[in-house]
Amino acid sequence: MMKKTALVTGANKGIGFGIAKHLGLSGWQVIVGARNEERAQQAINQLKALGIDVLGWVNIELTDLVGIESAAQAIAEQYPELSLLVNNAGIPGDMSVASGDTSLSDIKATIDVNFIGTFALTKGLLPLLAKNKGRIVNVTVPSDISPYWHPLAYVASKAAQNAMMGVMAMEFQQDGTPVEIFSVHPGPTTTDLNGNMALPGFHDIETVGQKMAALINDGQNHQGEFIELYPIVKEN
């Protein structure tokens, strides 16, 4: 049986590394998407030490639209069996400021990466994923505004990404495109993105990576779903 192949963006650290690791341990071949060769290579060495079948790495800089286009072409040529794209890479934006104090440049930079870059990569790989009856999984946060945590640049960029997922899922169903797309909110996780914050209720990369891989491997159709690995419990 041919092994299944997954590309995970931002797989050199954090949640992306956890997802790549647990997909790999469950039998997937993994392609590491990263912005930096040295960090990609470190991740590859760690994954290979665990016996994971890493096919290589692809330079994906989500602010470089021309680079994304050529990366998508290179992936189609080198890894024609790709059937899973995990859109995990993203930037936090400035999470320390109130919405009225958020700079326009920060809003733009965050949306450029988290929405426009992610959309460009998804669009570039769509023909290949359709050919392989593949799936797209986005790592995101809810569009509903949480009273506890609501950095505007980040939340807005992810809300746009969630809209992309919803629209694509609906169109795939309407026009019979054999691609499944869904979004996953890992819940509060201790990573570099939030300065390694570790409050009560936070989970670690290992746990989240394991749960994400289990979800991807569950054999269910999740077209258009927004899945929370750890739903936030609303206080009464």
Side-chain angles (χ1 to χ4, degrees), residues 157-206:
S157 70
K158 290 297 191 174
Q161 199 187 92
N162 294 343
M164 168 190 105
M165 184 279 291
V167 171
M168 283 186 164
M170 189 173 286
E171 289 177 349
F172 294 165
Q173 280 175 301
Q174 287 171 345
D175 63 23
T177 302
V179 176
E180 185 188 330
I181 183 169
F182 62 97
S183 295
V184 181
H185 176 218
T189 309
T190 303
T191 68
D192 286 359
L193 187 101
N194 53 31
N196 292 306
M197 196 182 279
L199 298 170
F202 272 61
H203 300 277
D204 59 22
I205 286 159
E206 191 64 15

Side-chain angles (χ1 to χ4, degrees), residues 88-143:
N88 161 76
I91 59 169
D94 185 348
M95 292 189 168
S96 67
V97 290
S99 54
D101 297 324
T102 304
S103 71
L104 288 175
S105 59
D106 188 47
I107 292 274
K108 187 176 182 310
T110 311
I111 286 174
D112 276 348
V113 170
N114 295 359
F115 173 54
I116 295 172
T118 299
F119 172 70
L121 181 63
T122 303
K123 179 179 160 72
L125 290 174
L126 205 48
L128 179 61
L129 291 166
K131 197 178 83 181
N132 294 333
K133 298 183 172 57
R135 283 180 291 169
I136 300 157
V137 181
N138 297 333
V139 179
T140 181
V141 297
S143 297

Side-chain angles (χ1 to χ4, degrees), residues 19 86 137 139 184 207-217 229:
I19 295 169
V86 180
V137 181
V139 179
V184 181
T207 310
V208 168
Q210 217 164 356
K211 278 203 113 167
M212 283 285 292
L215 177 65
I216 288 165
N217 292 325
L229 291 189

